[in-house]
């Protein structure tokens, strides 16, 4: 069964009495070469388990099952579960869980997968919830090898932007704290059923095995990042004083100058390394 074939997808959906649910961002991939390319490049050499978010009718799950020891797929749409039993029945290494990834205890779900080998995440993410899912995965502290996701191209531009670029923002700096992000391929809207309004890009985030950045106080580092971007139009001392109440604006300016940055600098030109440096200077002044 070719699960990327438009007629096959329509047929299985109809057999199970299902329609595409917009509220779940159901745009299924219809290009086998794209699905194969994602499955080929979504993991590290030692990856044994792949966690898939949103199995849909199982096209990507099928390709992952052919390549990796174990695939655990979470799918929110209860109606798709029997369909997935039908389309993926041949794969004994696939486990499909019905649930909302945002409410799932991923650590518990993966069980001893990390002890058995590397774990990667692979997904054609629903657009409505892309950033929250990525933030959840990155912030989970789980040692994934890599996270490969198909997302709206505009979001991909943001994730991969360099400091100072107009697409650069708090999510970019946050992501760079955990790993590096690269674009793998662009996928036009016409390759999905039904076609979405926007084009998509597959990005791969390679997580650092050992932490690259070690701020003196990690929570303060995240607060500094948030404060700097929450008030983007303000200069950094003004933006920071709204989020870091322990120091006066003068003390925050002093911390900025101690890093070698201009007092009127804006957060969007600072890299993750710069933010670590800055949050360390702030930490020293709070202590
Ligand atoms: N993997 C399939 C493909 O590539 O054709 C389907 C991708 S479709 C863009 C996104 C899938 O994620 C849908 O099947 C949808 O039901 C599911 N989904 C949406 N929100 C979800 C959530 N919060 N947790 C788990 N799955 C979700």
């Amino acid at each position: 069964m070719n699960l990327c074939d438009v007629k096959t997808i329509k047929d299985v959906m109809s057999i199970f009495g299902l329609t595409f649910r917009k509220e779940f961002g159901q745009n299924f991939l219809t290009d086998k070469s794209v699905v194969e390319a994602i499955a080929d490049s979504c993991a590290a050499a030692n990856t044994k388990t792949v966690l898939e978010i949103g199995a849909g009718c199982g096209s990507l799950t099928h390709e992952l099952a052919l390549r990796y020891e174990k695939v655990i797929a979470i799918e929110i749409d209860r109606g798709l579960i029997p369909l997935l039993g039908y389309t993926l029945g041949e794969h004994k290494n696939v486990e499909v869980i019905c649930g909302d990834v945002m409410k799932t205890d991923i650590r518990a779900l993966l069980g001893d997968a990390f002890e058995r080998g590397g774990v990667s995440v692979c997904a054609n993410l629903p657009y409505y919830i892309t950033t929250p899912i990525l933030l959840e995965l990155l912030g989970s502290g789980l040692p994934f090898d890599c996270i490969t996701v198909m997302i709206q191209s505009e979001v991909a531009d943001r994730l991969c932007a360099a400091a100072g670029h107009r697409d650069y923002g708090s999510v970019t700096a946050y992501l760079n704290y955990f790993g590096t992000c690269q674009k793998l391929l662009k996928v036009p809207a016409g390759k999905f059923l039904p076609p979405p309004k926007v084009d998509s890009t597959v990005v791969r985030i390679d997580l650092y095995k050992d932490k690259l950045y070690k701020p003196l106080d990690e929570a303060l580092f995240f607060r500094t990042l948030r404060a700097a971007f929450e008030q983007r139009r303000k200069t950094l001392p003004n933006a920071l004083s709204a989020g870091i109440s322990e120091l006066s604006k003068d003390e925050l300016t002093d911390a900025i100058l101690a890093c070698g940055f201009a007092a009127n600098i804006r957060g969007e030109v600072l890299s993750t390394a710069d933010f670590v440096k800055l949050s360390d200077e702030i930490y020293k002044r709070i202590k």
Side-chain angles (χ1 to χ4, degrees):
M1 192 181 337
N2 177 3
L3 295 169
C4 294
D5 174 60
V6 171
K7 186 176 178 313
T8 307
I9 298 173
K10 284 182 177 167
D11 284 351
V12 285
M13 290 291 279
S14 138
I15 291 169
F16 287 87
L18 302 172
T19 50
F20 298 96
R21 295 183 66 175
K22 212 173 169 181
E23 72 273 28
F24 289 148
Q26 290 182 352
N27 305 100
F28 297 164
L29 264 165
T30 58
D31 187 320
K32 197 168 167 59
S33 65
V34 170
V35 178
E36 286 171 345
I38 298 172
D40 278 341
S41 48
C42 73
N46 68 321
T47 294
K48 295 259 189 298
T49 304
V50 176
L51 170 69
E52 188 193 4
I53 298 162
C57 67
S59 53
L60 180 57
T61 328
H62 167 76
E63 294 300 331
L64 293 171
L66 295 176
R67 290 164 176 76
Y68 304 98
E69 215 170 273
K70 174 97 187 163
V71 180
I72 300 175
I74 309 176
E75 172 53 59
I76 198 171
D77 185 352
R78 198 163 286 286
L80 282 170
I81 305 303
L83 179 152
L84 287 163
Y86 172 68
T87 56
L88 299 171
E90 69 185 278
H91 297 295
K92 301 296 165 241
N93 58 340
V94 173
E95 192 182 333
V96 178
I97 307 293
C98 183
D100 178 345
V101 67
M102 296 303 289
K103 295 183 187 151
T104 302
D105 181 344
I106 295 175
R107 190 181 292 270
L109 176 68
L110 289 170
D112 64 353
F114 289 101
E115 283 90 75
R116 285 189 283 109
V119 181
S120 289
V121 178
C122 184
N124 170 13
L125 285 181
Y127 295 133
Y128 78 100
I129 200 177
T130 301
T131 306
I133 291 177
L134 283 177
L135 296 183
E136 185 70 26
L137 291 171
L138 292 171
S140 70
L142 292 169
F144 296 116
D145 293 333
C146 35
I147 299 173
T148 302
V149 284
M150 166 109 67
I151 53 180
Q152 196 177 326
S153 295
E154 214 174 276
V155 179
D157 290 342
R158 261 185 262 147
L159 295 185
C160 299
H165 190 279
R166 68 185 152 79
D167 291 329
Y168 182 80
S170 59
V171 178
T172 329
Y174 183 76
L175 183 155
N176 290 342
Y177 180 70
F178 297 98
T180 57
C181 185
Q182 57 172 316
K183 291 178 193 171
L184 296 185
L185 75 153
K186 204 163 172 164
V187 186
K191 305 262 181 195
F192 297 85
L193 182 73
K197 290 197 175 69
V198 291
D199 289 335
S200 300
T201 296
V202 179
V203 298
R204 173 172 150 150
I205 301 165
D206 285 280
L207 298 172
Y208 298 126
K209 283 262 159 294
D210 300 304
K211 277 191 168 180
L212 185 64
Y213 303 110
K214 298 183 178 83
L216 295 171
D217 180 335
E218 193 177 58
L220 180 64
F221 163 74
F222 291 133
R223 271 174 66 202
T224 306
L225 208 58
R226 235 184 350 261
F229 286 99
E230 241 159 46
Q231 317 262 332
R232 271 184 94 114
R233 287 169 179 278
K234 294 189 176 174
T235 58
L236 200 52
N238 282 324
L240 291 179
S241 47
I244 297 171
S245 54
E246 296 96 318
L247 296 184
S248 67
K249 201 177 135 193
D250 283 347
E251 288 168 318
L252 288 165
T253 305
D254 189 45
I256 293 167
L257 293 173
C259 295
F261 309 141
N264 64 348
I265 201 164
R266 286 177 195 275
E268 60 237 45
V269 301
L270 299 183
S271 66
T272 302
D274 292 335
F275 275 111
V276 171
K277 201 166 157 188
L278 178 58
S279 78
D280 284 353
E281 286 299 332
I282 294 172
Y283 177 80
K284 287 180 208 158
R285 283 159 179 76
I286 292 177
K287 278 271 119 186

